[in-house]
């Protein structure tokens, strides 16, 4: 990618943030619309889970393929194709006549979404090459997540109450079209000097692993945890994981380069991303149903209740990016894990949701934790890795987020469904509160995992493993132009 002037770099960052905005806004707004969709489409708890997880599952399955493809054929091309597919999928979702059609069209959205976030992060990484400048840019990127969390529930609630849930998908259309035109005009094309070859077997194994695992978790409460169908899908997931671990190291250009995980900070960032986004997915799922089904709030009022949490995320994300740039990822990770764990504990053990003040305090604490966690995850994932593999490294981080959100909704939704079935009072407020308690304990556990792994993966020993991994990955760029950066020099720059 040619060197851009500061104004052009800021414009590229803004375009990338627009793509993140429509993807994140769509997810947060959709959570508020779940009760309205359930009523019109006659959906069960599992049906509501699938409207979210069908999207995140396809997204997680294709992110690494999209990242490596963009590195190979051109990031601008793939990014524009993603905008077209995501916008088209949004239009189709607004026309869905039943739950099955909605789920299918959400999967079309997800194919487009898989080409947006990891590719945009790769564009940002190659546009902002100086480590401190890149960390600040990633902080702004994280701030857009906060903005979507703030705007999504409120905008979604207002649209659901005034027009209907289908209008949520209309919001994506003008933003997607504008981002497409601006990308065509202002974003330069870029490719990796040495990109990976396609890995269809690895891609199939990833899809089998994630799809089978998610299906088993979501459908188990209804079909039975020991039913033949659930055991079959659980076995498929286990077999796919085993095959991945055996097959991928044998390839010269694997879909998932397992050598990345020799870096403790990179592995830690992956686990932290899964844990943090599992907590977020479960938090939003339980919170939406509680506020509307138990407290009887409208979609708009439920969205407004999330503003304290979302506002804190919006403010904290850029601050966390600056903190990572100046002091490293340790402090933001410890703050994130501690705050999320305390928030979950308040809701799990102290009935924080039963009082308005305590409920808002728990929301603010969760926002503090989630607002602090995004920048260190992303920065750690791409720092120390060769710039020629930036798309793959960023895609692993994005995949970890989507896997986390998928598992959070699947596991916590399954626990909720099992609890409500056991209570025999699916519509009763006390039944819902009792059934949701284990879900809040899972959120607490996710926060503790972020705290512990954050402490272990950000010390001197962990940093030493990152440097050793960068040296193993370092190699001259084959066939690159004279003076092209080697992976070793790129790693040295990004870890400085």
């Amino acid at each position: 990618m040619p060197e851009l002037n500061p104004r052009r770099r800021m414009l590229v960052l803004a375009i990338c943030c627009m793509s993140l905005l429509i993807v994140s806004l769509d997810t947060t707004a959709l959570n508020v619309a779940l009760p309205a969709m359930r009523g019109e489409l006659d959906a069960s708890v599992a049906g509501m889970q699938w409207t979210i997880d069908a999207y995140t599952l396809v997204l997680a399955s294709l992110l690494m393929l999209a990242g490596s493809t963009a590195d190979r054929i051109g990031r601008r091309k793939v990014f524009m194709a993603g905008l077209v597919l995501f916008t088209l999928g949004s239009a189709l979702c607004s026309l869905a006549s039943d739950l099955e059609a909605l789920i299918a069209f959400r999967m079309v959205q997800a194919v487009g979404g898989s080409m947006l976030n990891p590719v945009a992060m790769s564009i940002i990484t190659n546009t902002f090459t100086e480590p401190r400048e890149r960390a600040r840019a990633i902080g702004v990127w994280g701030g857009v997540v906060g903005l979507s969390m703030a705007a999504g529930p409120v905008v979604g609630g207002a649209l659901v109450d005034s027009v209907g849930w289908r209008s949520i998908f209309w919001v994506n259309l003008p933003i997607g079209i504008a981002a497409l035109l601006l990308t065509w005009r202002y974003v330069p094309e870029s490719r990796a000097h040495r990109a990976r070859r396609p890995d269809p077997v690895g891609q199939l194994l990833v899809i089998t692993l994630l799809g089978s695992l998610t299906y088993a978790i979501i459908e188990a409460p209804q079909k039975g945890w020991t039913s033949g169908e659930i055991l079959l899908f659980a076995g498929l997931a286990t077999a796919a994981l085993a095959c991945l671990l055996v097959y991928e190291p044998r390839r010269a250009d694997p879909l998932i380069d397992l050598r990345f995980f020799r870096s403790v900070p990179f592995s830690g960032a992956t686990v932290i991303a899964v844990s943090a986004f599992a907590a977020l997915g479960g938090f939003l799922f339980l919170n939406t149903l509680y506020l509307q089904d138990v407290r009887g709030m409208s979609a708009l009022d439920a969205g407004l209740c999330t503003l304290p949490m979302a506002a804190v995320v919006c403010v904290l994300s850029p601050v966390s990016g600056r903190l990572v740039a100046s002091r490293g990822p340790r402090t933001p990770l410890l703050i994130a894990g501690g705050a999320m764990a305390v928030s979950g504990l308040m809701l799990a053990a102290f009935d924080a949701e039963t009082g308005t003040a305590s409920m808002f305090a728990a929301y603010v604490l969760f926002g503090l934790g989630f607002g602090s966690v995004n920048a260190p995850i992303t920065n750690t994932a791409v720092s120390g890795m060769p710039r020629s593999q930036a798309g793959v490294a960023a895609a692993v981080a994005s995949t970890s987020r989507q896997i986390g959100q998928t598992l959070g909704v699947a596991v916590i939704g399954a626990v909720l469904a099992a609890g409500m079935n056991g209570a025999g009072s699916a519509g009763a407020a006390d039944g819902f509160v009792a059934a949701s308690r284990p879900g809040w304990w899972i959120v607490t556990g996710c926060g503790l995992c972020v705290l512990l792994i954050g402490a272990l993966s950000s010390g001197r020993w962990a940093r030493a493993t990152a440097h050793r991994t960068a040296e193993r990955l370092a190699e001259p760029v084959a066939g690159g132009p004279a003076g092209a950066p080697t992976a070793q020099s790129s790693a040295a720059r990004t870890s400085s």
Side-chain angles (χ1 to χ4, degrees):
M1 177 181 288
E3 189 70 25
L4 304 179
N5 60 52
R7 183 178 178 181
R8 184 79 173 270
R9 288 201 299 270
M10 289 298 105
L11 187 56
V12 170
L13 176 61
I15 295 169
C16 292
C17 287
M18 288 174 69
S19 72
L20 176 64
L21 179 63
I22 57 175
V23 172
S24 302
L25 192 70
D26 180 85
T27 302
T28 53
L30 185 66
N31 268 278
V32 176
L34 287 177
M37 295 166 60
R38 179 184 58 191
E40 181 176 333
L41 302 177
D42 192 25
S44 62
V45 171
M48 289 186 291
Q49 288 174 272
W50 278 118
T51 61
I52 297 173
D53 274 359
Y55 176 84
T56 55
L57 178 61
V58 173
L59 200 65
S61 299
L62 298 180
L63 282 171
M64 284 179 284
L65 174 64
S68 59
T69 301
D71 283 345
R72 184 170 58 257
I73 70 172
R75 297 174 181 121
R76 179 173 175 264
K77 288 188 183 72
V78 173
F79 188 68
M80 292 179 67
L83 287 169
V84 171
L85 275 176
F86 189 87
T87 305
L88 175 62
S90 298
L92 292 173
C93 285
S94 70
L95 302 174
S97 58
D98 52 38
L99 181 65
E100 290 74 18
L102 177 61
I103 291 172
F105 295 148
R106 288 280 287 164
M107 294 171 76
V108 174
Q109 263 192 313
V111 175
S114 70
M115 303 178 191
L116 296 181
N117 287 2
V119 180
M121 180 53 62
S122 182
I123 292 172
I124 290 173
T125 302
N126 283 272
T127 300
F128 297 89
T129 56
E130 197 276 321
R132 291 182 184 274
E133 188 181 39
R134 185 183 62 238
R136 294 189 185 98
I138 291 172
V140 174
W141 173 268
V144 175
V145 176
L147 178 62
S148 69
M149 289 183 66
V154 177
V155 172
L159 289 172
V160 170
D161 285 349
S162 61
V163 183
W165 63 264
R166 297 175 187 277
S167 60
I168 287 175
F169 298 104
W170 299 345
V171 176
N172 299 331
L173 306 184
I175 300 176
I177 292 171
L180 179 64
L181 295 175
L182 290 171
T183 301
W184 174 75
R185 176 66 179 84
Y186 292 108
V187 176
E189 185 60 279
S190 65
R191 298 178 180 83
H193 292 291
R194 180 186 178 276
R196 295 167 182 262
R197 292 190 295 270
D199 181 9
V201 174
Q203 183 63 61
L204 180 62
L205 289 172
V206 168
I207 293 173
T208 302
L209 168 61
L210 297 179
S212 300
L213 179 62
T214 304
Y215 182 88
I217 293 172
I218 289 179
E219 297 297 333
Q222 180 180 354
K223 299 180 183 296
W225 290 95
T226 58
S227 69
E229 184 177 345
I230 298 304
L231 292 177
L232 173 63
F233 279 95
L236 276 176
T238 303
L241 176 61
C243 290
L244 269 174
L245 295 178
V246 172
Y247 175 77
E248 289 298 284
R250 298 171 181 267
R251 281 187 55 85
D253 288 320
L255 179 70
I256 307 172
D257 193 336
L258 299 181
R259 294 179 301 169
F260 284 2
F261 294 94
R262 294 176 183 174
S263 165
V264 171
F266 184 87
S267 298
T270 302
V271 175
I272 289 168
V274 171
S275 300
F277 277 77
L280 175 67
F283 187 98
L284 293 176
F285 189 79
L286 289 177
N287 175 71
T288 295
L289 297 179
Y290 171 76
L291 292 177
Q292 296 187 57
D293 289 353
V294 177
R295 289 207 168 192
M297 293 184 179
S298 66
L300 176 58
D301 289 339
L304 289 171
C305 281
T306 66
L307 271 179
M309 174 187 70
V312 173
V313 174
C314 194
V315 172
L316 256 291
S317 293
V319 173
S320 176
R322 289 194 291 270
L323 195 58
V324 170
S326 61
R327 301 188 59 181
R330 187 179 186 86
T331 299
L333 288 175
L334 296 181
I335 292 172
M340 293 172 75
V342 172
S343 172
L345 185 64
M346 290 177 65
L347 294 162
F350 298 103
D351 300 328
E353 72 270 29
T354 59
T356 301
S358 58
M359 182 180 73
F360 282 144
Y363 287 4
V364 168
L365 279 171
F366 191 89
L368 174 65
F370 191 75
S372 302
V373 81
N374 252 312
I377 289 174
T378 305
N379 190 72
T380 303
V382 299
S383 294
M385 295 298 167
R387 279 175 58 192
S388 63
Q389 313 251 343
V392 177
V396 171
S398 296
T399 299
S400 302
R401 290 179 171 91
Q402 298 304 325
I403 290 174
Q405 192 159 355
T406 301
L407 292 178
V409 173
V411 172
I412 292 178
V415 168
L416 174 66
M420 293 180 70
N421 290 339
S425 54
D430 54 348
F432 182 92
V433 172
S436 66
R437 195 75 61 221
W440 291 123
W441 279 114
I442 293 173
V443 172
T444 305
C446 289
L448 290 174
C449 184
V450 172
L451 178 65
L452 177 62
I453 301 299
L456 292 175
S457 63
S458 56
R460 182 178 301 175
W461 164 76
R463 291 195 298 271
T465 68
H467 286 299
R468 288 196 297 270
T469 300
E471 291 172 358
R472 292 191 186 102
L473 291 170
E475 57 184 8
V477 178
T486 65
Q488 186 173 17
S489 65
S490 299
R493 279 196 302 272
T494 54
S495 61
S496 62

